[in-house]
Amino acid sequence: MSKTRILVHIVFSTKYRQPTISLNHKRRLYAYIHGIIQKYRCKTLRINGLADHVHILIDLHPSVALATLVKEIKQSTSLWMKNEIDFKKFSGWNEGYYAASIGANEEAACVQYIINQDTSHNEKDFITEMKQLAMEYQFEWDERDWGATPPG
């Protein structure tokens, strides 16, 4: 029998990073995301975020393409949120996302990092956080990835 452990930290933001995820109702969004992750036979390890972005740590099933899963999460939640009164300001997700595999020995620290989103943003803003993640995960940094303003 095969055994896998493919831990992936995923981050994506709302369109133009607008604070459109109601903090009073974000748990409903996370439950919806969790359902999608389960449908793809992946395991949700932690979800949290703020009004303008979401962090997800999953154990990716080996038969699932990460891009397919993230696309499904973003498309399904976008449709659902646009029809929910609790998310009436939500207009969509930014185009891209960050996703990086982490080692099993980094799981606890990543879970704690995601849990602490509410307090960590008292110390640093979103762009500072994304720059730090880009450095940590060795992504090429481009602020346009996080589309703070509408084009034009």
Side-chain angles (χ1 to χ4, degrees):
M1 182 168 178
S2 300
K3 304 255 189 238
T4 64
R5 189 100 164 115
I6 307 168
L7 304 177
V8 182
H9 180 191
I10 304 162
V11 184
F12 52 88
S13 67
T14 58
K15 195 171 200 173
Y16 309 126
R17 289 199 342 262
Q18 295 299 309
T20 57
I21 301 171
S22 165
L23 298 180
N24 293 329
H25 303 287
K26 68 180 186 175
R27 298 283 172 227
R28 288 184 57 224
L29 170 62
Y30 302 161
Y32 194 88
I33 292 171
H34 172 69
I36 296 166
I37 292 167
Q38 281 187 310
K39 179 178 121 182
Y40 278 81
R41 299 180 300 160
C42 301
K43 183 178 178 188
T44 305
L45 301 173
R46 182 57 66 177
I47 304 174
N48 198 13
L50 293 176
D52 64 349
H53 70 284
V54 176
H55 288 259
I56 306 169
L57 179 62
I58 62 168
D59 186 352
L60 186 68
H61 190 276
S63 68
V64 176
L66 177 64
T68 301
L69 177 63
V70 174
K71 180 180 179 181
E72 178 69 21
I73 290 169
K74 290 172 75 175
Q75 283 183 340
S76 293
T77 57
S78 187
L79 288 171
W80 176 75
M81 291 169 76
K82 288 176 182 179
N83 290 306
E84 288 290 313
I85 189 82
D86 295 332
F87 299 98
K88 62 185 173 197
K89 294 181 182 179
F90 180 80
S91 63
W93 299 110
N94 260 343
E95 213 174 294
Y97 59 92
Y98 275 8
S101 60
I102 64 166
N105 60 339
E106 299 169 294
E107 179 181 354
C110 189
V111 165
Q112 199 58 48
Y113 175 79
I114 293 171
I115 288 170
N116 291 334
Q117 279 297 293
D118 299 325
T119 55
S120 73
H121 282 280
N122 292 333
E123 301 164 11
K124 60 186 167 197
D125 65 12
F126 177 77
I127 291 297
T128 301
E129 176 188 24
M130 290 303 100
K131 283 181 181 177
Q132 288 175 342
L133 279 179
M135 276 197 321
E136 180 180 337
Y137 294 143
Q138 299 179 9
F139 293 140
E140 184 178 322
W141 172 253
D142 187 338
E143 194 162 334
R144 293 174 296 182
D145 291 340
W146 300 102
T149 55

